[in-house]
Amino acid sequence: MKKIKAFSLAVILLAAVILNVPYAHAAGAATLNVTFNRSSVDAGSTVRLTLTENSGSDSINVVEARLTYDASKLQFINVESSPVFSDATTPNGNSVVRYVPGGASVAGSQTVAIINFRALTGSGSSSVSVVSGSHVYRSADNADIWNGSLSSVSVALTTPAPASNPASKPQSSNPVLMKTTPKQTLNSPVKSDKSATTAPETVTTDPKKDESKGIVKGDADKKNESSQNKDEAKPASNNTGLWLGLLAVIAAVPAYLAGRKYAAYRSGIAAKEAANVAAVAAAAKARDNDKAKNKKTANKNAAPKSKKQAKKSKK
């Protein structure tokens, strides 16, 4: 009896391989999660949604996330760049497809993308969910290892409080005291000041006193000559600065041209990598479609056999 069961199981497995019938595989280990950067958002303001994946010890290179949300409450703005993943297709609010550039792969928990939304209403709440149709592809064999666990997060929609008018400052009731000085009238007596009387000035011709005051003619001439020399030296220093600046610009031209050539080279590589990832995703979808068709064909072929077996069991 055991031999018959083993033989039957071997025949079923062989038929499944020949007919390429899709089989139920164990759930993968990779997860997809979404979180908001805050619990509430005012109408007209933006809120950020972070999409993360965790593949554990498996190395992955492509993530495709399918998202659903209420477009009457949240408006998709854009997707920010990630330090690990790059866009394989143009992202939108319902589909984000990203890959690891340069043929590399990552493992563990990684930030796939940061998606910005704008709140359209100021009441209730709105949620964003990861739904079926999402994929996390393993880099070794392009197998989908997403565990199928759906993730959802909600944010409260609030109305901003009206701006309060600043209270006007009360005017001070205290009078400002102005200091006044009494004007001298014609009848007021004038105090005599002995210091007001000045003696006639005497002109001294002592050269020592003139030198101490710094008015010797020879010193003044020397100061004028030094200032003229400084003025004549200024144009030479200005010309030197212009030549040095021109030499710096000429020296920077090769580096600038090399940078532009490298940027063009990197953009070409990025375009090729994006095309390769798109081809991989298309091949994976085609494979899923073929498996679905083969499963339908196998079910049709198996249905008549099951009816005949039922009739034989009744007899």
Side-chain angles (χ1 to χ4, degrees):
M1 187 68 180
K2 292 182 179 179
K3 291 183 179 180
I4 295 174
K5 288 183 178 180
F7 178 77
S8 301
L9 180 60
V11 171
I12 293 172
L13 291 175
L14 181 61
V17 171
I18 294 173
L19 297 175
N20 194 19
V21 177
Y23 56 91
H25 57 81
T31 60
L32 292 174
N33 293 294
V34 285
T35 56
F36 279 120
N37 65 330
R38 53 174 131 175
S39 58
S40 62
V41 58
D42 292 338
S45 300
T46 59
V47 62
R48 303 174 69 189
L49 178 80
T50 301
L51 171 66
T52 59
E53 66 83 20
N54 192 344
S55 61
S57 59
D58 289 327
S59 297
I60 60 129
N61 57 358
V62 178
V63 174
E64 181 179 358
R66 301 291 179 183
L67 306 176
T68 60
Y69 63 95
D70 190 348
S72 65
K73 296 181 178 180
L74 293 177
Q75 178 186 9
F76 168 76
I77 300 176
N78 60 6
V79 175
E80 296 182 9
S81 60
S82 169
V84 178
F85 291 89
S86 298
D87 292 326
T89 59
T90 302
N92 55 62
N94 300 110
S95 176
V96 177
V97 182
R98 314 207 88 189
Y99 73 101
V100 182
S105 59
V106 293
S109 179
Q110 302 290 340
T111 297
V112 179
I114 296 177
I115 309 169
N116 292 315
F117 291 94
R118 178 179 288 107
L120 299 179
T121 61
S123 61
S125 62
S126 184
S127 61
V128 179
S129 305
V130 178
V131 297
S132 59
S134 302
H135 305 283
V136 178
Y137 292 104
R138 187 163 51 200
S139 59
D141 53 1
N142 294 329
D144 182 11
I145 60 172
W146 180 46
N147 64 356
S149 178
L150 306 181
S151 174
S152 180
V153 64
S154 62
V155 62
L157 306 176
T158 57
T159 301
S164 59
N165 295 326
S168 59
K169 295 182 179 180
Q171 294 182 355
S172 177
S173 59
N174 297 328
V176 179
L177 299 178
M178 300 295 292
K179 291 183 178 180
T180 59
T181 56
K183 294 183 180 180
Q184 187 175 2
T185 60
L186 296 175
N187 296 328
S188 60
V190 178
K191 293 182 179 180
S192 62
D193 190 4
K194 294 181 180 180
S195 61
T197 60
T198 58
E201 293 183 357
T202 58
V203 179
T204 61
T205 58
D206 191 359
K208 293 182 179 180
K209 292 183 179 180
D210 294 340
E211 289 177 359
S212 62
K213 293 181 180 179
I215 59 173
V216 179
K217 185 176 181 181
D219 293 339
D221 294 338
K222 289 180 180 179
K223 291 181 180 179
N224 293 333
E225 289 177 0
S226 62
S227 62
Q228 290 178 359
N229 294 333
K230 289 181 179 179
D231 294 336
E232 291 176 359
K234 287 182 179 179
S237 61
N238 293 336
N239 293 335
T240 303
L242 291 175
W243 281 110
L244 290 175
L246 181 60
L247 291 175
V249 171
I250 294 173
V253 169
Y256 172 76
L257 295 177
R260 287 180 61 87
K261 187 178 293 183
Y262 179 75
Y265 170 75
R266 290 298 304 168
S267 63
I269 291 177
K272 290 181 180 179
E273 290 174 349
N276 293 334
V277 170
V280 170
K285 290 183 179 180
R287 182 181 59 194
D288 293 340
N289 293 333
D290 292 338
K291 287 182 179 181
K293 291 180 181 179
N294 293 333
K295 184 176 181 180
K296 290 181 180 180
T297 304
N299 292 335
K300 290 181 180 180
N301 294 334
K305 293 181 181 179
S306 60
K307 291 181 180 180
K308 291 179 180 180
Q309 290 176 358
K311 290 180 180 181
K312 288 183 180 180
S313 62
K314 289 181 179 180
K315 290 180 180 181

